[in-house]
Amino acid sequence: MHIRTLVTVLQVVWYGLAFTFATIDNDRFEGDSCVLADGTNGTCSRDLECEYLKTIPQHSWIKCSFDKNVSIVCCRSPPKTRFDMKSRSEQMCDSFDSFNDAANHIYAGTEAGEDEFPYLGALAFTGGNELAFRCGANLISDQYMLTAAHCLTFERPAFVRLGVVDIVTKSKTDPPVDIGIEDIIIHPDYVPRPLANDIALIKLNRTVTEDFLKRICLYTNISDPSPDVKLSIAGWGSTESNDWEMSPVLLKANVTTYDREDCNKILIEDKTPRRKLLKLNTDQLCALGRNTTGHNTGDTCVGDSGGPLELAIGRRRWIVGLTSTGKICGTSYPGIYTRVSQFIGWIEKEVWPEN
């Protein structure tokens, strides 16, 4: 006797965000066996505990059931061994406050909402007695921020401005949070040309206690999100490729990762001498915004360095990459980002040293 399992497509509104699942018609619960979209076996797990979701598009997620407001999905997990344990970064991520829902979180080149990037700050420089903002930085603990190394090599920032979308206009009702800098830690293997290991830590001079400022998790998966997975970028950088003037308000856009080999071909074929880049290092990845016609819809630009390449699943955020370099913004050339997953050991040693 053959039993045919009925498979349907169900659209679920969860925390205000619509997800489309291919789902089996009978509920399965956490720990039960299940079948993934590619036909292989999996285990029903809580969505935020499933690393597999970070690398596949949402239309390939298989729903098992719900536990209150938590979605239980079919997950491909690596075989567990007696040596298996969560990294320090993953343990800390579990303790971070959740974000608001991700509805309307990603658009192409539009102004960000007040609470969409509560971990992102702007670096303030005071050279020449004038206040200038350049580069972004991301709160990853209660006292450390992650940014691009090249933002810190020529001048030390005076402070980091957090908690606002508009970094210029000071509101009396919602003033910015300006925090001084105690220390700057540039990756020991950073080199400017050819650019490599473009990552650095900023130690703030006090602990962040404001409840509206949130920490973002580190992306620890060795596999990058697939080109079908939506990511977001954000920054106060220029909106024009030939204009160095920063945007006074935080802008966001929708991007996806770019195939490494395709990206390398584009970099190699570019003949502009002053923009000549070598092939991607293992610590770099490409990303670019696209619309349905294939035209560019989102890219980072001058001044966005150090900002996030962010993955959102439900009420949790992961920083996949840091805006690092690229060619002409707003064109078919992908932006180049530092792969955070390559530096987890170094970050953990500096931010959460073992006693």
Side-chain angles (χ1 to χ4, degrees), residues 120-124 133-137 145 159-162 167 236:
L120 181 57
L123 302 186
F133 291 96
R134 296 191 301 276
C135 295
M145 303 193 75
F159 60 87
V160 182
R161 177 159 290 178
L162 298 123
I167 54 172
W236 289 273

Side-chain angles (χ1 to χ4, degrees), residues 37-66:
D38 61 5
T40 58
N41 294 327
T43 303
C44 293
S45 307
R46 292 171 178 262
D47 60 346
L48 293 182
E49 297 176 359
C50 181
E51 289 284 317
Y52 172 66
L53 295 187
K54 298 178 183 177
T55 60
I56 62 171
Q58 289 173 358
H59 63 73
S60 296
W61 295 7
I62 301 295
K63 168 188 167 288
C64 292
S65 59
F66 279 95

